[in-house]
Amino acid sequence: MAPNGVVEKTGTGLIVSFGEMLIDFVPTVSGVSLAEAPGFLKAPGGAPANVAIAVSRLGGKSAFVGKLGDDEFGHMLAGILRENGVVDEGINFDKGARTALAFVTLRADGEREFMFYRNPSADMLLTPDELNLDLIRSAKVFHYGSISLIVEPCRTAHLKAMEVAKDAGLLLSYDPNLRLPLWPSPEEAREQIKSIWDKADLIKVSDVELEFLTGSNKIDDESAMTLWHPNLKLLLVTLGDLGCRYYTKNFHGEVQAFRVKTVDTTGAGDSFVGALLCKIVDDQSILEDEPRLRTVLKFANACGAITTTKKGAIPALPTESDALSLINGGA
């Protein structure tokens, strides 16, 4: 056990991240619409892939399970995962479908708007038979989002992977990562996101997702607790530059954010999740020990904050020393 205020060591257990990886095209200038953008930079993206790289960058062990197009972009993305130390044994390639693309506008305040090209993209075509089940069983944490629930066959593959992970005793970590433009309707999004709710051990939602899922415009404890389910070990609500709130069976509270100059919020939530997972992967008793959990969440907040100080998710993901430097006032 780490002394009070000292960050827990990063675990060596494997964290498997399941879902989509794609190319984000980001305007070269902030604060313009897609139509007004003079040009675009390509950046690797996709929340589950960001989480895998976040874990690896912090010294943890991660693997990505998903499907890419058998095209230049798909092989580029697989290469980026490998370069960042992510185990690639769960990656499949589809000869018939392209790697997904997303055009992302950065508004003047650093927030994002999305336009997606996936009709269908390779990630949507992952089948249950293509899953590397031995890789999943060898892990300690299985992390996933909700984009993989939108269409078949990927939805069935997602449910199968979750079932295998649960049976093998993994901690199930869920970040819905709401992207409304990808869903047929808001109602369908809400229904499907909640369809797997009670399977997760750990759930992280943003303040916007909390409002969407509860139908309430209140961001408070009462609203958050309507998302609680009896098997949940930890519910987190991230509040952007206001930090995060945490809820367990026995205690709840909030942890303040770090003040930084925000350039681009892309990947901040993924960085936060990766930081949390790599600190609890080998010792889940942290989830029942409020002082230790608060220390880990402070570390996760620091990682999320640092990620907003540069453009693009993956280049901005911090190392442990980056985060400790911010925590200790050196950044």
Side-chain angles (χ1 to χ4, degrees):
M1 175 175 163
N4 199 19
V6 175
V7 175
E8 304 285 336
K9 72 177 183 6
T10 295
T12 56
L14 180 64
I15 295 164
V16 166
S17 211
F18 173 90
E20 70 284 352
M21 189 177 193
L22 59 145
I23 306 269
D24 287 336
F25 283 91
V26 186
T28 49
V29 192
S30 293
V32 295
S33 70
L34 291 174
E36 294 164 338
F40 296 89
L41 292 169
K42 68 179 192 302
N50 292 342
V51 169
I53 293 175
V55 166
S56 185
R57 183 101 22 113
L58 290 166
K61 190 178 177 191
S62 64
F64 177 74
V65 172
K67 199 171 199 186
L68 301 166
D70 189 8
D71 52 35
E72 284 212 20
F73 284 156
H75 289 285
M76 181 193 103
L77 292 176
I80 287 166
L81 288 169
R82 281 193 292 272
E83 284 159 26
N84 282 281
V86 176
V87 174
D88 66 353
E89 291 158 24
I91 299 173
N92 293 270
F93 292 93
D94 194 290
K95 292 202 177 301
R98 295 288 190 207
T99 300
L101 308 178
F103 285 82
V104 186
T105 358
L106 275 182
R107 300 200 313 247
D109 61 0
E111 287 297 331
R112 302 153 298 159
E113 289 165 3
F114 295 87
M115 184 165 79
F116 293 92
Y117 284 71
R118 349 169 39 234
N119 48 339
S121 53
D123 60 287
M124 300 158 74
L125 301 177
L126 181 70
T127 66
D129 294 345
E130 291 171 317
L131 292 169
N132 184 335
L133 299 180
D134 289 339
L135 178 68
I136 293 169
R137 290 188 187 106
S138 73
K140 287 192 175 177
V141 173
F142 184 69
H143 176 74
Y144 49 91
S146 69
I147 289 172
S148 39
L149 295 173
I150 298 173
V151 292
E152 293 292 2
C154 187
R155 176 182 162 77
T156 299
H158 180 143
L159 297 176
K160 171 76 173 174
M162 272 178 58
E163 181 190 345
V164 167
K166 195 80 172 168
D167 289 348
L170 277 68
L171 180 90
L172 266 56
S173 164
Y174 185 21
D175 176 357
N177 200 45
L178 178 67
R179 295 285 178 267
L180 265 183
L182 293 177
W183 291 91
S185 69
E187 295 71 32
E188 173 82 356
R190 198 175 287 113
E191 184 183 332
Q192 293 300 340
I193 286 170
K194 286 188 152 177
S195 70
I196 58 168
W197 202 256
D198 61 353
K199 301 279 195 294
D201 300 299
L202 186 160
I203 295 174
K204 174 247 160 197
V205 293
S206 69
D207 44 6
V208 174
E209 289 161 348
L210 176 65
E211 289 180 313
F212 174 76
L213 290 168
T214 60
S216 161
N217 59 3
K218 288 195 170 70
I219 311 284
D220 57 18
D221 294 344
E222 192 180 342
S223 182
M225 284 308 289
T226 64
L227 297 180
W228 185 263
H229 71 75
N231 302 318
L232 200 52
K233 293 177 179 171
L234 176 64
L235 172 66
L236 292 160
V237 180
T238 54
L239 306 165
D241 59 8
L242 296 175
C244 69
R245 291 193 184 143
Y246 58 89
Y247 304 87
T248 73
K249 282 188 180 69
N250 300 317
F251 54 80
H252 64 88
E254 66 181 81
V255 180
Q256 296 299 310
F258 290 88
R259 294 270 164 258
V260 293
K261 187 171 178 357
T262 295
V263 173
D264 175 9
T265 57
T266 308
D270 306 325
S271 180
F272 174 92
V273 170
L276 168 68
L277 294 180
C278 75
K279 295 300 180 189
I280 66 167
V281 62
D282 287 349
D283 186 0
Q284 291 175 28
S285 71
I286 291 170
L287 301 176
E288 296 160 22
D289 183 334
E290 189 168 13
R292 292 172 77 198
L293 179 61
R294 287 184 64 86
T295 303
V296 168
L297 292 175
K298 185 177 179 183
F299 178 79
N301 277 352
C303 290
I306 291 166
T307 308
T308 70
T309 61
K310 288 186 201 165
K311 270 195 182 177
I314 290 168
L317 294 169
T319 61
E320 175 133 342
S321 62
D322 294 335
L324 294 178
S325 175
L326 179 59
I327 289 167
N328 296 323

